[in-house]
Short mmCIF file of all heavy atoms in Angstrom, two decimals:
data_model
loop_
_atom_site.label_atom_id
_atom_site.label_comp_id
_atom_site.label_asym_id
_atom_site.label_seq_id
_atom_site.Cartn_x
_atom_site.Cartn_y
_atom_site.Cartn_z
N MET A 1 67.75 65.41 -187.69
CA MET A 1 68.09 65.24 -189.09
C MET A 1 67.17 66.12 -189.95
O MET A 1 66.02 65.77 -190.17
CB MET A 1 67.91 63.78 -189.50
CG MET A 1 68.91 62.84 -188.86
SD MET A 1 68.89 61.18 -189.55
CE MET A 1 67.23 60.68 -189.27
N PRO A 2 67.66 67.25 -190.40
CA PRO A 2 66.83 68.09 -191.26
C PRO A 2 66.64 67.46 -192.63
O PRO A 2 67.54 66.81 -193.17
CB PRO A 2 67.63 69.38 -191.39
CG PRO A 2 68.88 69.22 -190.64
CD PRO A 2 68.92 67.85 -190.07
N SER A 3 65.45 67.65 -193.15
CA SER A 3 65.15 67.23 -194.52
C SER A 3 64.78 68.49 -195.30
O SER A 3 63.90 69.24 -194.90
CB SER A 3 63.97 66.26 -194.55
OG SER A 3 64.31 65.06 -193.91
N ILE A 4 65.45 68.69 -196.42
CA ILE A 4 65.20 69.84 -197.27
C ILE A 4 64.62 69.31 -198.57
O ILE A 4 65.21 68.45 -199.23
CB ILE A 4 66.51 70.61 -197.53
CG1 ILE A 4 67.07 71.10 -196.20
CG2 ILE A 4 66.27 71.76 -198.51
CD1 ILE A 4 68.51 71.52 -196.26
N ILE A 5 63.45 69.81 -198.93
CA ILE A 5 62.78 69.37 -200.15
C ILE A 5 62.68 70.56 -201.09
O ILE A 5 62.17 71.62 -200.71
CB ILE A 5 61.38 68.82 -199.84
CG1 ILE A 5 61.49 67.65 -198.86
CG2 ILE A 5 60.67 68.40 -201.13
CD1 ILE A 5 60.17 67.20 -198.28
N MET A 6 63.19 70.37 -202.32
CA MET A 6 63.14 71.43 -203.33
C MET A 6 62.42 70.92 -204.57
O MET A 6 62.66 69.79 -204.99
CB MET A 6 64.57 71.85 -203.70
CG MET A 6 65.33 72.47 -202.57
SD MET A 6 66.99 72.98 -203.08
CE MET A 6 67.81 71.41 -203.09
N GLU A 7 61.57 71.75 -205.13
CA GLU A 7 60.93 71.43 -206.41
C GLU A 7 61.53 72.35 -207.45
O GLU A 7 61.51 73.57 -207.30
CB GLU A 7 59.42 71.60 -206.32
CG GLU A 7 58.79 70.54 -205.45
CD GLU A 7 57.36 70.24 -205.83
OE1 GLU A 7 56.97 70.43 -207.00
OE2 GLU A 7 56.63 69.80 -204.94
N LEU A 8 62.08 71.75 -208.50
CA LEU A 8 62.81 72.50 -209.52
C LEU A 8 62.44 71.98 -210.89
O LEU A 8 61.89 70.89 -211.03
CB LEU A 8 64.32 72.31 -209.33
CG LEU A 8 64.88 72.60 -207.95
CD1 LEU A 8 66.26 71.99 -207.80
CD2 LEU A 8 64.94 74.09 -207.72
N VAL A 9 62.78 72.74 -211.91
CA VAL A 9 62.69 72.21 -213.27
C VAL A 9 63.85 71.24 -213.45
O VAL A 9 64.82 71.26 -212.70
CB VAL A 9 62.70 73.32 -214.35
CG1 VAL A 9 61.46 74.18 -214.24
CG2 VAL A 9 63.95 74.15 -214.27
N LYS A 10 63.75 70.40 -214.45
CA LYS A 10 64.79 69.39 -214.68
C LYS A 10 66.14 70.06 -214.91
O LYS A 10 66.24 71.09 -215.55
CB LYS A 10 64.42 68.51 -215.86
CG LYS A 10 63.22 67.64 -215.54
CD LYS A 10 63.10 66.51 -216.50
CE LYS A 10 61.96 65.64 -216.02
NZ LYS A 10 62.15 64.26 -216.31
N MET A 11 67.17 69.44 -214.34
CA MET A 11 68.53 69.94 -214.52
C MET A 11 69.48 68.75 -214.60
O MET A 11 69.12 67.63 -214.26
CB MET A 11 68.92 70.90 -213.40
CG MET A 11 68.78 70.33 -212.02
SD MET A 11 69.34 71.39 -210.65
CE MET A 11 68.66 72.95 -211.01
N SER A 12 70.69 69.02 -215.01
CA SER A 12 71.67 67.94 -215.18
C SER A 12 72.08 67.37 -213.82
O SER A 12 71.94 68.02 -212.78
CB SER A 12 72.92 68.47 -215.90
OG SER A 12 73.63 69.34 -215.04
N LYS A 13 72.61 66.16 -213.85
CA LYS A 13 73.09 65.51 -212.63
C LYS A 13 74.18 66.35 -211.98
O LYS A 13 74.25 66.46 -210.75
CB LYS A 13 73.60 64.11 -212.95
CG LYS A 13 74.07 63.36 -211.73
CD LYS A 13 74.55 61.97 -212.08
CE LYS A 13 75.11 61.28 -210.84
NZ LYS A 13 75.69 59.98 -211.14
N GLU A 14 75.04 66.95 -212.80
CA GLU A 14 76.12 67.77 -212.28
C GLU A 14 75.59 68.99 -211.52
O GLU A 14 76.08 69.33 -210.44
CB GLU A 14 77.06 68.23 -213.41
CG GLU A 14 77.84 67.11 -214.05
CD GLU A 14 77.03 66.28 -215.06
OE1 GLU A 14 75.96 66.73 -215.53
OE2 GLU A 14 77.48 65.16 -215.36
N LYS A 15 74.57 69.64 -212.08
CA LYS A 15 73.99 70.80 -211.41
C LYS A 15 73.29 70.39 -210.12
O LYS A 15 73.37 71.10 -209.11
CB LYS A 15 73.00 71.52 -212.33
CG LYS A 15 73.67 72.34 -213.41
CD LYS A 15 72.65 73.12 -214.18
CE LYS A 15 73.32 73.96 -215.26
NZ LYS A 15 72.33 74.78 -215.98
N LYS A 16 72.61 69.25 -210.14
CA LYS A 16 71.96 68.77 -208.92
C LYS A 16 72.99 68.45 -207.85
O LYS A 16 72.79 68.77 -206.67
CB LYS A 16 71.08 67.55 -209.21
CG LYS A 16 69.81 67.89 -209.97
CD LYS A 16 68.91 66.70 -210.10
CE LYS A 16 69.35 65.82 -211.25
NZ LYS A 16 68.37 64.77 -211.58
N ALA A 17 74.10 67.82 -208.24
CA ALA A 17 75.14 67.49 -207.27
C ALA A 17 75.71 68.76 -206.63
O ALA A 17 75.93 68.81 -205.42
CB ALA A 17 76.25 66.68 -207.96
N GLN A 18 75.95 69.79 -207.43
CA GLN A 18 76.46 71.06 -206.91
C GLN A 18 75.45 71.71 -205.98
O GLN A 18 75.81 72.22 -204.91
CB GLN A 18 76.82 72.01 -208.06
CG GLN A 18 77.44 73.31 -207.62
CD GLN A 18 78.81 73.12 -206.98
OE1 GLN A 18 79.55 72.21 -207.33
NE2 GLN A 18 79.14 73.96 -206.02
N LEU A 19 74.18 71.69 -206.35
CA LEU A 19 73.13 72.27 -205.52
C LEU A 19 73.04 71.55 -204.18
O LEU A 19 73.00 72.19 -203.12
CB LEU A 19 71.79 72.20 -206.26
CG LEU A 19 70.59 72.77 -205.53
CD1 LEU A 19 70.76 74.25 -205.24
CD2 LEU A 19 69.33 72.53 -206.35
N VAL A 20 73.04 70.23 -204.20
CA VAL A 20 72.97 69.45 -202.96
C VAL A 20 74.18 69.75 -202.07
O VAL A 20 74.04 69.95 -200.86
CB VAL A 20 72.86 67.94 -203.28
CG1 VAL A 20 73.11 67.10 -202.03
CG2 VAL A 20 71.51 67.62 -203.88
N LYS A 21 75.35 69.84 -202.67
CA LYS A 21 76.58 70.14 -201.91
C LYS A 21 76.47 71.50 -201.23
O LYS A 21 76.72 71.63 -200.03
CB LYS A 21 77.78 70.10 -202.85
CG LYS A 21 79.10 70.42 -202.21
CD LYS A 21 80.22 70.33 -203.24
CE LYS A 21 81.58 70.55 -202.64
NZ LYS A 21 81.92 71.95 -202.50
N GLU A 22 76.08 72.52 -201.99
CA GLU A 22 76.03 73.88 -201.45
C GLU A 22 74.92 74.04 -200.41
O GLU A 22 75.12 74.71 -199.39
CB GLU A 22 75.89 74.89 -202.58
CG GLU A 22 77.15 74.95 -203.43
CD GLU A 22 77.10 76.01 -204.51
OE1 GLU A 22 76.28 76.95 -204.41
OE2 GLU A 22 77.90 75.91 -205.46
N VAL A 23 73.76 73.45 -200.65
CA VAL A 23 72.66 73.54 -199.69
C VAL A 23 73.03 72.82 -198.40
O VAL A 23 72.77 73.31 -197.29
CB VAL A 23 71.35 72.97 -200.30
CG1 VAL A 23 70.29 72.77 -199.24
CG2 VAL A 23 70.84 73.90 -201.39
N THR A 24 73.66 71.66 -198.52
CA THR A 24 74.09 70.91 -197.34
C THR A 24 75.11 71.70 -196.54
O THR A 24 75.01 71.82 -195.31
CB THR A 24 74.66 69.54 -197.76
OG1 THR A 24 73.64 68.81 -198.43
CG2 THR A 24 75.15 68.76 -196.55
N GLU A 25 76.10 72.27 -197.22
CA GLU A 25 77.14 73.05 -196.53
C GLU A 25 76.53 74.26 -195.81
O GLU A 25 76.87 74.54 -194.66
CB GLU A 25 78.21 73.51 -197.51
CG GLU A 25 79.08 72.39 -198.03
CD GLU A 25 80.00 72.80 -199.17
OE1 GLU A 25 79.86 73.93 -199.71
OE2 GLU A 25 80.87 71.98 -199.53
N ALA A 26 75.64 74.97 -196.48
CA ALA A 26 75.02 76.16 -195.88
C ALA A 26 74.16 75.77 -194.68
O ALA A 26 74.18 76.45 -193.64
CB ALA A 26 74.19 76.91 -196.91
N THR A 27 73.43 74.69 -194.79
CA THR A 27 72.58 74.23 -193.69
C THR A 27 73.43 73.79 -192.50
O THR A 27 73.12 74.11 -191.35
CB THR A 27 71.66 73.09 -194.16
OG1 THR A 27 70.87 73.56 -195.26
CG2 THR A 27 70.75 72.63 -193.05
N ALA A 28 74.52 73.09 -192.77
CA ALA A 28 75.41 72.66 -191.70
C ALA A 28 76.01 73.86 -190.97
O ALA A 28 76.07 73.88 -189.73
CB ALA A 28 76.50 71.75 -192.26
N ARG A 29 76.43 74.87 -191.73
CA ARG A 29 77.00 76.08 -191.12
C ARG A 29 75.96 76.80 -190.26
O ARG A 29 76.24 77.23 -189.14
CB ARG A 29 77.50 77.06 -192.19
CG ARG A 29 78.90 76.83 -192.66
CD ARG A 29 79.44 78.01 -193.46
NE ARG A 29 78.53 78.51 -194.48
CZ ARG A 29 78.41 78.02 -195.71
NH1 ARG A 29 79.15 77.00 -196.08
NH2 ARG A 29 77.57 78.54 -196.57
N ALA A 30 74.75 76.95 -190.78
CA ALA A 30 73.72 77.71 -190.08
C ALA A 30 73.18 77.00 -188.85
O ALA A 30 72.76 77.65 -187.89
CB ALA A 30 72.58 78.03 -191.05
N THR A 31 73.17 75.67 -188.87
CA THR A 31 72.56 74.91 -187.78
C THR A 31 73.54 74.25 -186.84
O THR A 31 73.17 73.87 -185.73
CB THR A 31 71.64 73.81 -188.34
OG1 THR A 31 72.44 72.87 -189.08
CG2 THR A 31 70.54 74.38 -189.21
N GLY A 32 74.77 74.05 -187.31
CA GLY A 32 75.74 73.32 -186.52
C GLY A 32 75.53 71.81 -186.58
O GLY A 32 76.16 71.05 -185.85
N ILE A 33 74.64 71.36 -187.45
CA ILE A 33 74.37 69.94 -187.62
C ILE A 33 75.36 69.37 -188.63
O ILE A 33 75.69 70.02 -189.63
CB ILE A 33 72.92 69.71 -188.10
CG1 ILE A 33 71.95 70.18 -187.02
CG2 ILE A 33 72.66 68.26 -188.47
CD1 ILE A 33 70.50 70.19 -187.45
N ALA A 34 75.84 68.16 -188.36
CA ALA A 34 76.81 67.53 -189.26
C ALA A 34 76.20 67.32 -190.65
O ALA A 34 75.02 66.93 -190.75
CB ALA A 34 77.24 66.18 -188.69
N PRO A 35 76.97 67.58 -191.71
CA PRO A 35 76.46 67.38 -193.07
C PRO A 35 75.90 65.98 -193.32
O PRO A 35 74.94 65.82 -194.06
CB PRO A 35 77.68 67.65 -193.95
CG PRO A 35 78.57 68.50 -193.13
CD PRO A 35 78.35 68.09 -191.71
N GLN A 36 76.46 64.98 -192.66
CA GLN A 36 76.01 63.60 -192.86
C GLN A 36 74.59 63.38 -192.34
O GLN A 36 73.96 62.37 -192.68
CB GLN A 36 76.96 62.62 -192.14
CG GLN A 36 78.36 62.63 -192.67
CD GLN A 36 79.22 63.78 -192.14
OE1 GLN A 36 78.81 64.58 -191.30
NE2 GLN A 36 80.44 63.87 -192.66
N ALA A 37 74.06 64.30 -191.55
CA ALA A 37 72.72 64.16 -191.00
C ALA A 37 71.68 64.96 -191.78
O ALA A 37 70.51 64.99 -191.40
CB ALA A 37 72.71 64.59 -189.53
N ILE A 38 72.10 65.62 -192.85
CA ILE A 38 71.20 66.49 -193.62
C ILE A 38 70.76 65.78 -194.90
O ILE A 38 71.59 65.34 -195.69
CB ILE A 38 71.90 67.83 -193.94
CG1 ILE A 38 72.25 68.54 -192.63
CG2 ILE A 38 71.02 68.70 -194.84
CD1 ILE A 38 73.17 69.72 -192.79
N PHE A 39 69.46 65.68 -195.08
CA PHE A 39 68.89 65.06 -196.26
C PHE A 39 68.39 66.15 -197.20
O PHE A 39 67.73 67.10 -196.77
CB PHE A 39 67.70 64.17 -195.90
CG PHE A 39 68.08 62.92 -195.17
CD1 PHE A 39 68.37 62.94 -193.82
CD2 PHE A 39 68.14 61.71 -195.85
CE1 PHE A 39 68.72 61.79 -193.15
CE2 PHE A 39 68.49 60.55 -195.19
CZ PHE A 39 68.78 60.59 -193.83
N VAL A 40 68.69 66.01 -198.48
CA VAL A 40 68.18 66.94 -199.50
C VAL A 40 67.45 66.12 -200.56
O VAL A 40 68.02 65.19 -201.13
CB VAL A 40 69.34 67.75 -200.16
CG1 VAL A 40 68.79 68.68 -201.23
CG2 VAL A 40 70.11 68.53 -199.11
N PHE A 41 66.20 66.46 -200.78
CA PHE A 41 65.38 65.78 -201.77
C PHE A 41 65.06 66.76 -202.90
O PHE A 41 64.63 67.88 -202.64
CB PHE A 41 64.06 65.28 -201.16
CG PHE A 41 64.25 64.28 -200.06
CD1 PHE A 41 64.38 64.69 -198.75
CD2 PHE A 41 64.32 62.93 -200.35
CE1 PHE A 41 64.55 63.77 -197.72
CE2 PHE A 41 64.49 61.99 -199.34
CZ PHE A 41 64.61 62.42 -198.02
N ILE A 42 65.27 66.33 -204.12
CA ILE A 42 64.96 67.16 -205.28
C ILE A 42 63.81 66.51 -206.04
O ILE A 42 63.89 65.35 -206.43
CB ILE A 42 66.19 67.31 -206.21
CG1 ILE A 42 67.31 68.02 -205.46
CG2 ILE A 42 65.80 68.04 -207.49
CD1 ILE A 42 68.61 68.08 -206.23
N LYS A 43 62.76 67.28 -206.23
CA LYS A 43 61.63 66.83 -207.05
C LYS A 43 61.68 67.65 -208.33
O LYS A 43 61.65 68.87 -208.30
CB LYS A 43 60.31 67.06 -206.31
CG LYS A 43 60.19 66.24 -205.05
CD LYS A 43 58.85 66.45 -204.39
CE LYS A 43 58.72 65.57 -203.17
NZ LYS A 43 57.39 65.66 -202.59
N GLU A 44 61.78 66.95 -209.46
CA GLU A 44 61.91 67.64 -210.74
C GLU A 44 60.56 67.76 -211.44
O GLU A 44 59.73 66.85 -211.39
CB GLU A 44 62.89 66.90 -211.64
CG GLU A 44 64.31 66.98 -211.17
CD GLU A 44 65.27 66.36 -212.15
OE1 GLU A 44 65.10 65.17 -212.46
OE2 GLU A 44 66.18 67.07 -212.60
N ASN A 45 60.38 68.88 -212.09
CA ASN A 45 59.16 69.16 -212.85
C ASN A 45 59.54 69.52 -214.29
O ASN A 45 60.56 70.16 -214.52
CB ASN A 45 58.40 70.33 -212.23
CG ASN A 45 57.92 70.02 -210.84
OD1 ASN A 45 57.05 69.20 -210.65
ND2 ASN A 45 58.50 70.67 -209.85
N GLU A 46 58.71 69.11 -215.21
CA GLU A 46 58.89 69.54 -216.60
C GLU A 46 58.62 71.05 -216.68
O GLU A 46 57.72 71.55 -215.99
CB GLU A 46 57.91 68.79 -217.52
CG GLU A 46 58.13 67.30 -217.60
CD GLU A 46 59.42 66.93 -218.31
OE1 GLU A 46 59.93 67.75 -219.09
OE2 GLU A 46 59.90 65.81 -218.08
N PRO A 47 59.37 71.78 -217.49
CA PRO A 47 59.17 73.23 -217.59
C PRO A 47 57.72 73.61 -217.94
O PRO A 47 57.22 74.62 -217.44
CB PRO A 47 60.13 73.66 -218.70
CG PRO A 47 61.21 72.63 -218.67
CD PRO A 47 60.51 71.34 -218.29
N GLU A 48 57.05 72.80 -218.74
CA GLU A 48 55.68 73.14 -219.11
C GLU A 48 54.69 72.91 -217.96
O GLU A 48 53.52 73.24 -218.06
CB GLU A 48 55.22 72.38 -220.36
CG GLU A 48 55.23 70.89 -220.22
CD GLU A 48 56.53 70.25 -220.71
OE1 GLU A 48 57.52 70.96 -220.94
OE2 GLU A 48 56.54 69.04 -220.86
N ASN A 49 55.18 72.39 -216.83
CA ASN A 49 54.35 72.21 -215.64
C ASN A 49 54.63 73.26 -214.58
O ASN A 49 54.17 73.14 -213.45
CB ASN A 49 54.56 70.81 -215.05
CG ASN A 49 54.05 69.72 -215.94
OD1 ASN A 49 53.18 69.93 -216.77
ND2 ASN A 49 54.60 68.53 -215.80
N VAL A 50 55.40 74.31 -214.94
CA VAL A 50 55.75 75.36 -214.00
C VAL A 50 55.33 76.70 -214.58
O VAL A 50 55.66 77.03 -215.72
CB VAL A 50 57.28 75.36 -213.72
CG1 VAL A 50 57.64 76.49 -212.76
CG2 VAL A 50 57.72 74.01 -213.17
N GLY A 51 54.60 77.46 -213.78
CA GLY A 51 54.18 78.79 -214.20
C GLY A 51 54.74 79.85 -213.28
O GLY A 51 54.84 79.64 -212.07
N VAL A 52 55.12 80.98 -213.85
CA VAL A 52 55.61 82.13 -213.08
C VAL A 52 54.96 83.37 -213.65
O VAL A 52 55.00 83.60 -214.86
CB VAL A 52 57.16 82.25 -213.17
CG1 VAL A 52 57.64 83.47 -212.41
CG2 VAL A 52 57.84 80.99 -212.66
N GLY A 53 54.36 84.16 -212.80
CA GLY A 53 53.75 85.40 -213.25
C GLY A 53 52.64 85.20 -214.27
O GLY A 53 52.42 86.04 -215.13
N GLY A 54 51.96 84.07 -214.19
CA GLY A 54 50.85 83.80 -215.09
C GLY A 54 51.24 83.16 -216.41
O GLY A 54 50.39 82.95 -217.27
N LEU A 55 52.54 82.86 -216.59
CA LEU A 55 53.01 82.24 -217.83
C LEU A 55 53.73 80.93 -217.52
O LEU A 55 54.40 80.80 -216.50
CB LEU A 55 53.99 83.17 -218.56
CG LEU A 55 53.44 84.49 -219.06
CD1 LEU A 55 54.59 85.36 -219.59
CD2 LEU A 55 52.42 84.26 -220.15
N LEU A 56 53.62 79.98 -218.44
CA LEU A 56 54.40 78.77 -218.33
C LEU A 56 55.85 79.09 -218.69
O LEU A 56 56.11 79.97 -219.51
CB LEU A 56 53.87 77.69 -219.26
CG LEU A 56 52.46 77.18 -218.94
CD1 LEU A 56 52.01 76.19 -220.02
CD2 LEU A 56 52.42 76.52 -217.57
N LEU A 57 56.77 78.38 -218.07
CA LEU A 57 58.19 78.69 -218.32
C LEU A 57 58.56 78.69 -219.80
O LEU A 57 59.27 79.59 -220.24
CB LEU A 57 59.09 77.71 -217.55
CG LEU A 57 59.19 77.93 -216.06
CD1 LEU A 57 60.18 76.94 -215.45
CD2 LEU A 57 59.60 79.34 -215.71
N PRO A 58 58.11 77.70 -220.60
CA PRO A 58 58.51 77.74 -222.02
C PRO A 58 57.98 78.96 -222.78
O PRO A 58 58.52 79.34 -223.80
CB PRO A 58 57.90 76.46 -222.60
CG PRO A 58 57.68 75.57 -221.43
CD PRO A 58 57.39 76.49 -220.29
N ASP A 59 56.93 79.58 -222.25
CA ASP A 59 56.33 80.74 -222.92
C ASP A 59 56.95 82.07 -222.50
O ASP A 59 56.63 83.12 -223.06
CB ASP A 59 54.82 80.78 -222.67
CG ASP A 59 54.13 79.55 -223.23
OD1 ASP A 59 54.64 78.96 -224.20
OD2 ASP A 59 53.07 79.18 -222.69
N MET A 60 57.83 82.03 -221.52
CA MET A 60 58.45 83.27 -221.04
C MET A 60 59.61 83.64 -221.96
O MET A 60 60.36 82.80 -222.40
CB MET A 60 58.95 83.09 -219.61
CG MET A 60 57.83 82.82 -218.63
SD MET A 60 58.43 82.54 -216.95
CE MET A 60 58.88 84.21 -216.51
N LYS A 61 59.76 84.93 -222.22
CA LYS A 61 60.88 85.39 -223.04
C LYS A 61 62.13 85.41 -222.19
O LYS A 61 62.09 85.79 -221.03
CB LYS A 61 60.59 86.79 -223.60
CG LYS A 61 59.44 86.78 -224.56
CD LYS A 61 59.31 88.10 -225.23
CE LYS A 61 58.13 88.00 -226.18
NZ LYS A 61 58.24 88.86 -227.30
N LYS A 62 63.22 85.01 -222.78
CA LYS A 62 64.48 84.99 -222.03
C LYS A 62 65.25 86.26 -222.24
O LYS A 62 65.15 86.96 -223.14
CB LYS A 62 65.31 83.78 -222.50
CG LYS A 62 64.63 82.50 -222.12
CD LYS A 62 65.51 81.34 -222.48
CE LYS A 62 64.82 80.05 -222.07
NZ LYS A 62 65.63 78.92 -222.15
#
């Protein structure tokens, strides 16, 4: 039973559901393991708790 743990910034329930579906499908294809045996855990972080390239996400220009 594979367990996949992802740390992400907060996102909507709909986006999380889509992400879990796609990650599960891809893992099942790559491993041959049944989707029902694949666990996906999402840990959410506030954007101000995530830094990329030396900047916090809210401080990055879009």
Side-chain angles (χ1 to χ4, degrees):
M1 291 190 301
S3 295
I4 300 164
I5 302 168
M6 296 181 283
E7 290 208 26
L8 308 163
V9 294
K10 292 197 175 212
M11 56 176 46
S12 70
K13 182 179 176 185
E14 293 79 17
K15 285 186 179 183
K16 287 187 278 190
Q18 184 66 31
L19 180 61
V20 167
K21 179 179 184 277
E22 292 184 19
V23 167
T24 299
E25 290 171 351
T27 302
R29 273 194 313 276
T31 64
I33 296 172
Q36 297 81 3
I38 299 169
F39 289 79
V40 178
F41 298 90
I42 297 174
K43 296 182 177 186
E44 290 186 303
N45 296 292
E46 295 291 338
E48 60 266 13
N49 293 336
V50 178
V52 178
L55 296 172
L56 295 176
L57 286 184
D59 298 333
M60 297 178 73
K61 295 188 180 209
K62 294 184 179 190

